[in-house]
Amino acid sequence: MAAGLLPLLSPQQAKEWLDQHEAIIIDVRNLTSYKALHIPNSLHVPDVTKIAQSVTEHPTERVILVCQNGGQATQISHMILMQPTPETEGILFYVLDNGLNGWRNAGLPVVRDMDLGLPIDRQVQITLGLALLVSLIFGWLFSSLWFIFVFLIALGLLLSGMTGWYGFQQLVLLFPWNRHE
């Protein structure tokens, strides 16, 4: 079980169910990430309140939730379990183990809808690396107050790792070249 919530499903088992039309897969990531790379025939439903509607439109007994690494899908699974709806009653929900990363590591097929340049995760890494470097240099050269930014970035990374919510990613998605909607 994913942190006592929904069962984790291996990419191989998910592929088998999808090939046999025994499940649907719902990608809960943002649109930019979805268009950059996703599992074939996955439904893009980033809004947890619309998952029940998707299940109604695509009747099935099994729904596989997927995000980049499993954290966001696990959070959404918690919301589904805490606030069930008549549409989701009797549906078995699963979280894809290690998300899209696990799917890719298993060598399973993916779809690229558009070339977005650098993937969002690499843009986040570059932005945070640059912010840390500038903060450290300015802290050393000008004022130790710049070290506060280093602390805040480290705190943000720690919270991202613990919760699966990527605030820095949301910030990078606001950059003009990432607006595709």
Side-chain angles (χ1 to χ4, degrees):
M1 295 289 256
L5 300 175
L6 295 182
L8 291 175
L9 188 66
S10 75
Q12 295 80 6
Q13 182 65 59
K15 174 86 166 90
E16 184 180 318
W17 285 353
L18 293 170
D19 287 346
Q20 296 172 1
H21 305 287
E22 295 178 1
I24 61 171
I25 191 156
I26 295 180
D27 194 319
V28 297
R29 298 173 303 142
N30 63 63
L31 182 61
T32 303
S33 297
Y34 178 81
K35 284 187 174 185
L37 200 68
H38 62 269
I39 295 170
N41 302 313
S42 60
L43 302 174
H44 179 241
V45 187
D47 183 354
V48 68
T49 63
K50 302 218 171 148
I51 289 177
Q53 178 184 346
S54 296
V55 170
T56 302
E57 293 170 0
H58 302 88
T60 185
E61 292 180 8
R62 297 179 180 141
V63 174
I64 306 163
L65 300 175
V66 63
C67 62
Q68 192 65 41
N69 63 12
Q72 185 180 8
T74 299
Q75 284 182 328
I76 288 176
S77 74
H78 180 67
M79 290 182 217
I80 291 169
L81 289 175
M82 298 304 291
Q83 300 171 355
T85 65
E87 297 87 358
T88 60
E89 190 174 319
I91 305 290
L92 300 174
F93 284 88
Y94 299 85
V95 173
L96 185 64
D97 194 17
N98 292 317
L100 184 62
N101 292 339
W103 182 272
R104 289 179 65 200
N105 290 341
L108 298 171
V110 292
V111 175
R112 249 183 232 283
D113 280 349
M114 59 193 269
D115 183 15
L116 299 172
L118 280 178
I120 297 298
D121 59 336
R122 290 199 40 216
Q123 290 183 47
V124 170
Q125 292 166 350
I126 291 168
T127 303
L128 291 179
L130 185 60
L132 283 171
L133 186 60
V134 167
S135 296
L136 287 172
I137 290 170
F138 280 23
W140 183 56
L141 292 177
F142 302 114
S143 169
S144 60
L145 290 176
W146 282 95
F147 294 126
I148 293 172
F149 289 108
V150 175
F151 171 77
L152 292 174
I153 291 169
L155 182 63
L157 289 170
L158 180 64
L159 290 173
S160 292
M162 291 172 55
T163 65
W165 183 78
Y166 303 101
F168 291 121
Q169 180 179 2
Q170 301 306 315
L171 182 65
V172 170
L173 286 171
L174 296 176
F175 292 170
W177 54 85
N178 289 328
R179 294 185 190 162
H180 300 286
E181 300 178 37

